[in-house]
Amino acid sequence: MYNNEPYKASLTGQPFLFSEMRIVARMRIDGMTDDEIVEKVWNENLFQCNGRKGVRRTMNAVLLRLNVLDDTLLSLVAEGLADAAKVAVIYSIMKTSRLFREFMYHAYMPNARLSDGHVDRTEVDAFFRMLQEQDETVASWSPSTVQKLKQVIVKILADAGLINNTQDRLILRPILSFQLRSAIEAVGDSVYLEILTGGDMIK
């Protein structure tokens, strides 16, 4: 799961993007090229973005995440039940963001093992302090960038249904469908399922 991929603060402008992921996944299944998708999104203002630059920035994040999904997970994002599709999106964010992946491992998973686990502010603060002490890139981020990252990460968890809200932050462990588990296990990524369930592979 770990590699030498650098930490990036790109999540400050790349939130959960669930509806955008749904839209693009459906168009990919329909056989559209990335260029055709970009033009359709722009012409019909499907992302509700102000300006082509905003569309391109959001599209880059969406395509990056969709590119790590196999056909089964792509179809799940496009057409599956919302709860399962949201977990697939979370998986794609973990796969494409080292920062989010390690947050889930260090700050989310240990608390997901508890019956009433929370992702409280002290956990979030401790995670970022740990990274700042260990990595020069993270240490160079401004306080405002770090604060924004904390907010975005917690909001992603809330939007995905992994916590009840951004204030109380009670962990709601997902029930993983057979289709979702099988697809992720098939590519050797069972560790991501363990992170999501706190190590308890809920059936």
Side-chain angles (χ1 to χ4, degrees):
M1 186 178 70
Y2 295 101
N3 53 40
N4 293 323
E5 169 195 345
Y7 292 105
K8 297 177 182 178
S10 52
L11 283 179
T12 56
Q14 298 174 357
F16 192 43
L17 301 175
F18 180 66
S19 62
E20 293 86 350
M21 294 276 286
R22 281 266 214 201
I23 289 168
V24 177
R26 287 168 180 159
M27 287 192 278
R28 274 199 162 178
I29 288 175
D30 288 341
M32 295 178 65
T33 67
D34 289 352
D35 287 340
E36 290 170 341
I37 292 171
V38 170
E39 285 306 307
K40 184 176 177 65
V41 168
W42 169 251
N43 291 333
E44 300 180 18
N45 195 24
L46 298 179
F47 285 178
Q48 300 294 304
C49 290
N50 293 321
R52 187 173 287 267
K53 185 176 180 181
V55 170
R56 177 63 68 177
R57 181 173 59 250
T58 300
M59 182 63 73
N60 287 342
V62 168
L63 292 177
L64 179 68
R65 294 173 185 178
L66 289 178
N67 284 343
V68 302
L69 302 180
D70 66 6
D71 290 343
T72 298
L73 292 175
L74 181 68
S75 295
L76 188 60
V77 171
E79 302 164 349
L81 296 175
D83 287 349
K86 287 178 179 180
V87 175
V89 171
I90 283 288
Y91 166 73
S92 76
I93 300 174
M94 284 195 286
K95 289 282 287 185
T96 54
S97 170
R98 181 183 180 187
L99 179 70
F100 187 72
R101 180 169 64 247
E102 294 190 8
F103 175 86
M104 293 294 288
Y105 183 82
H106 290 290
Y108 178 90
M109 183 171 70
N111 293 291
R113 293 177 176 144
L114 307 175
S115 59
D116 61 345
H118 292 70
V119 181
D120 60 35
R121 288 172 176 78
T122 58
E123 298 278 356
V124 178
D125 292 343
F127 170 74
F128 276 92
R129 281 197 305 271
M130 177 187 73
L131 290 191
Q132 288 171 323
E133 292 170 357
Q134 295 177 354
D135 188 86
E136 292 181 358
T137 297
V138 180
S140 71
W141 293 343
S142 69
S144 61
T145 294
V146 172
Q147 182 60 30
K148 178 64 174 177
L149 285 168
K150 292 177 182 178
Q151 293 170 351
V152 170
I153 287 174
V154 171
K155 184 66 162 53
I156 287 173
L157 296 180
D159 289 345
L162 297 182
I163 58 175
N164 62 338
N165 56 57
T166 59
Q167 298 303 312
D168 189 43
R169 305 181 183 189
L170 174 68
I171 290 175
L172 307 172
R173 292 187 298 171
I175 297 176
L176 306 177
S177 69
F178 175 79
Q179 181 187 36
L180 178 67
R181 286 189 289 111
S182 297
I184 293 177
E185 288 170 350
V187 295
D189 279 345
S190 295
V191 64
Y192 291 91
L193 302 177
E194 295 173 8
I195 289 172
L196 289 165
T197 62
D200 180 6
M201 298 294 283
I202 299 175
K203 301 295 189 289

